[in-house]
Amino acid sequence: MVIFIFLAGACTVAAAGQGWNFVQNGTSGIVALEAIVVSPTLAVFFDRASNDPLSINGHSAWAALWNFETNTATALNAVSDSFCASGGLLSNGTMASLGGNIPAIPAALDGRQAIRIFEPCQSPDGSGCTLFDNSSQLHLATPRWYPSSLKIFDGSLMIIGGIHESTPFYNTDPVNSFEFFPPKDNGVPRPSAFLERSLPANLFPRGFALPDGRVFIVANNQTIIYDIEKNTETILPDLPNGVRVTNPFDGTATLLPLSPPHFTPEILVCGGTNASDTIPSESLSSQDPASDQCSRIVATPEGIKQGWQVEHMINPRMMPEMILLPNGQVLITNGAQTGYAAIGSVGGAIDGSSNADHPVLTPELYTPNAPLGQRISSKGLPTTDIPRMYHSTVTLTPMGNIMLGGSNPNGQVVSTGKFPSELRIEFLNPPFMTVDRPKLLNVPAKIGFNQLLTVDVSVPSNLRAATIQVALMDLGFSSHAFHSSQRLVFMEARLSLNRKSLTITTPPNNRVFPPGPAFVFLTIDDVTSTGAQVMVGTGGSPPVPDQGINLPISLL
């Protein structure tokens, strides 16, 4: 047996192919302000209720189904305004879109308490798959605009913060509470002292489910670990050097890949600004420099004592986003070198709309296991000609490449100005997209926890199999410079001597990998397969009971 070499961000020599490259392919029909992959062939986009060119029922659409096979968008019938909502996938495969705004057009209803449901869609092209959007039957406990969400250990979604109604810049009417979908606590939101402390720049808080079931949250320049089961918070060190990273000072953050046997959690936070949140927005400028700082912390008692480790991106970035790649590297993309998030609320707003300027057009790669100071590089990465500014999205696709959409720092869909509304869909292709790739065959549709399973594989003869990585991934929900619920857990694996089968050990429990839909990717010598979709856990509706085996307390 060939034992898999487990490396977070392994970089071995692979067939070069065409190298990294951008390809524009198709238009989204609506501004892809929010994006989530819902099947091997489909993604759902949301925008605000506005004047998007795609139409449905005699009015502009603000929800659409993207087909990866045809690179086309089909309108979905959203009823409530999904502007600046969040969302994710439940343990049973249902996609939930959460919150929204007061609509600017009569075709839409108030979306601030909306819960929009897209059930698992078995049709490759989405035929017959619809969006349920009826707030009289299903709704949040309180209005939320600019909330964030994340999937937790019982397969439900935790909804964090937001604002009650429109604000030009800061969070001036805050929702300082958590709630859950499906509801907990008889539907009563839980007050959060952390959200109150982190005002006024704490919209779209960045939350991450730790492998013990607790939640790491970043808002403004502050961080905590929140215990859902005890309803307690532990205050952690602030981000270094006064950097602030949540809307309207958008940096980005991610939970780095989790690896057996310890699944030690590390959080990476990049970009944002050093500006003070006491400065009135009109005294800020679209030309103020963004931060190039990345801060990393190990979310264990020992790691917290050591504090944040600081490194720097090649470019400063406001409104970047980070995407986990199946080989363990992290793609940093999108955003601007100067300014802020939000629209038309700072000095020198571009065309009176964009609070940010000087787009960053070249992505960067972060390699977690490289030495400090050598983790970030743009070597070999291409430069796009499409700015991805405010209201942009990006996601890993089931094919293994990266889809970029959206960008609209304007009050509605416009075609003029320095940063017009962007409908072009673009794909960033890694080098392996143009070479012979390994294949996962006969992967079971459902996998349990702490399970040993064997799947057939096809390995190109030119690959030595010096490194083998098997990644279990939740592809997450993209909105406002944050990819909520994104997760990568490496699984121990062994390749048979004849290179025709792979024996995999699944994650130990539902806290290491919250239950629900996921994709399995096989990477051999830095060449990655297409993802195989699986249901992790029982596929039951949330809340589901704990499954698998506990990690030793000493590992948490």
Side-chain angles (χ1 to χ4, degrees), residues 19-246:
W20 288 91
N21 64 93
F22 278 111
V23 175
Q24 296 173 25
N25 202 335
T27 57
S28 53
I30 66 171
V31 173
L33 186 149
E34 301 150 26
I36 180 171
V37 174
V38 292
S39 82
T41 57
L42 300 171
V44 173
F45 296 152
F46 291 103
D47 190 16
R48 74 182 79 187
S50 182
N51 61 327
D52 290 281
L54 193 65
S55 64
I56 190 169
N57 297 334
H59 60 77
S60 288
W62 56 91
L65 198 60
W66 177 261
N67 187 323
F68 288 115
E69 294 183 323
T70 61
N71 292 311
T72 56
T74 304
L76 289 171
N77 188 30
V79 175
S80 62
D81 189 357
S82 53
F83 187 33
C84 303
S86 189
L89 295 169
L90 301 172
S91 56
N92 60 5
T94 295
M95 188 282 295
S97 164
L98 307 159
N101 195 25
I102 303 170
I105 62 172
L109 299 180
D110 190 334
R112 291 174 298 163
Q113 287 185 256
I115 300 174
R116 305 165 199 89
I117 296 294
F118 188 83
E119 298 286 357
C121 181
Q122 302 304 318
S123 169
D125 65 0
S127 298
C129 299
T130 59
L131 188 71
F132 175 83
D133 185 358
N134 187 333
S135 293
S136 67
Q137 296 184 33
L138 190 64
H139 57 83
L140 297 173
T142 189
R144 294 181 189 268
W145 190 43
Y146 280 77
S148 61
S149 61
L150 74 152
K151 185 163 62 175
I152 60 174
F153 59 88
D154 66 3
S156 59
L157 294 173
M158 178 180 176
I159 305 150
I160 306 174
I163 189 168
H164 288 108
E165 57 189 5
S166 296
T167 178
F169 196 69
Y170 289 120
N171 189 354
T172 52
D173 187 12
V175 188
N176 292 330
S177 66
F178 309 138
E179 64 176 288
F180 302 86
F181 179 69
K184 301 183 189 300
D185 312 314
N186 296 314
V188 178
R190 299 181 181 184
S192 169
F194 168 68
L195 291 175
E196 186 172 352
R197 290 195 307 272
S198 58
L199 290 169
N202 68 354
L203 296 168
F204 277 106
R206 282 55 166 135
F208 308 96
L210 298 177
D212 64 358
R214 296 179 299 165
V215 177
F216 189 108
I217 310 177
V218 184
N220 201 327
N221 64 340
Q222 301 176 36
T223 63
I224 64 166
I225 290 178
Y226 176 69
D227 191 316
I228 294 171
E229 292 160 297
K230 296 178 181 178
N231 191 20
T232 58
E233 65 171 49
T234 301
I235 298 175
L236 305 182
D238 288 352
L239 295 175
N241 304 314
V243 172
R244 305 175 193 278
V245 296
T246 48

Side-chain angles (χ1 to χ4, degrees), residues 29 142 186-187 228 332 338 350 360 384 440 480 494 503 550:
T142 189
N186 296 314
I228 294 171
I332 307 172
T338 66
I350 308 303
V360 189
T384 180
L440 289 162
H480 288 77
R494 294 177 179 174
T503 302
N550 294 330

Side-chain angles (χ1 to χ4, degrees), residues 458-473:
S458 172
V459 180
S461 59
N462 65 306
L463 297 180
R464 294 173 46 236
T467 63
I468 300 171
Q469 299 165 288
V470 181
L472 183 66
M473 300 189 68

Side-chain angles (χ1 to χ4, degrees), residues 179-436:
E179 64 176 288
F180 302 86
F181 179 69
K184 301 183 189 300
D185 312 314
N186 296 314
V188 178
R190 299 181 181 184
S192 169
F194 168 68
L195 291 175
E196 186 172 352
R197 290 195 307 272
S198 58
L199 290 169
N202 68 354
L203 296 168
F204 277 106
R206 282 55 166 135
F208 308 96
L210 298 177
D212 64 358
R214 296 179 299 165
V215 177
F216 189 108
I217 310 177
V218 184
N220 201 327
N221 64 340
Q222 301 176 36
T223 63
I224 64 166
I225 290 178
Y226 176 69
D227 191 316
I228 294 171
E229 292 160 297
K230 296 178 181 178
N231 191 20
T232 58
E233 65 171 49
T234 301
I235 298 175
L236 305 182
D238 288 352
L239 295 175
N241 304 314
V243 172
R244 305 175 193 278
V245 296
T246 48
N247 191 278
F249 294 159
D250 275 332
T252 191
T254 193
L255 173 69
L256 292 175
L258 297 172
S259 305
H262 301 302
F263 303 99
T264 302
E266 295 188 69
I267 306 295
L268 179 67
V269 184
C270 293
T273 182
N274 294 87
S276 169
D277 60 5
T278 63
I279 300 174
S281 64
E282 58 270 19
S283 297
L284 299 171
S285 169
S286 64
Q287 304 307 305
D288 292 343
S291 173
D292 66 357
Q293 178 174 292
C294 286
S295 306
R296 177 169 165 177
I297 195 168
V298 179
T300 63
E302 296 77 15
I304 292 165
K305 286 179 183 177
Q306 293 176 7
W308 293 94
Q309 187 180 71
V310 173
E311 46 203 320
H312 297 276
M313 294 182 290
I314 296 166
N315 294 290
R317 291 183 191 250
M318 171 63 56
M319 304 173 298
E321 193 162 338
M322 291 192 287
I323 297 297
L324 300 177
L325 302 181
N327 70 350
Q329 290 182 301
V330 183
L331 181 80
I332 307 172
T333 189
N334 295 0
Q337 295 182 71
T338 66
Y340 304 92
I343 296 172
S345 46
V346 305
I350 308 303
D351 299 319
S353 292
S354 178
N355 282 348
D357 198 5
H358 306 291
V360 189
L361 302 175
T362 304
E364 302 172 30
L365 275 176
Y366 181 93
T367 303
N369 65 331
L372 182 65
Q374 301 177 36
R375 294 170 180 161
I376 301 175
S377 173
S378 59
K379 183 178 180 180
L381 289 167
T383 298
T384 180
D385 60 357
I386 302 178
R388 300 291 180 180
M389 306 290 279
Y390 197 42
H391 295 150
S392 296
T393 51
V394 58
T395 186
L396 184 71
T397 77
M399 294 78 70
N401 57 358
I402 298 96
M403 179 176 69
L404 301 93
S407 186
N408 191 22
N410 306 286
Q412 59 179 354
V413 176
V414 301
S415 58
T416 59
K418 185 174 183 179
F419 301 119
S421 308
E422 186 56 67
L423 299 174
R424 288 173 292 177
I425 293 293
E426 192 173 30
F427 292 90
L428 175 59
N429 293 317
F432 59 71
M433 294 295 290
T434 51
V435 301
D436 196 13

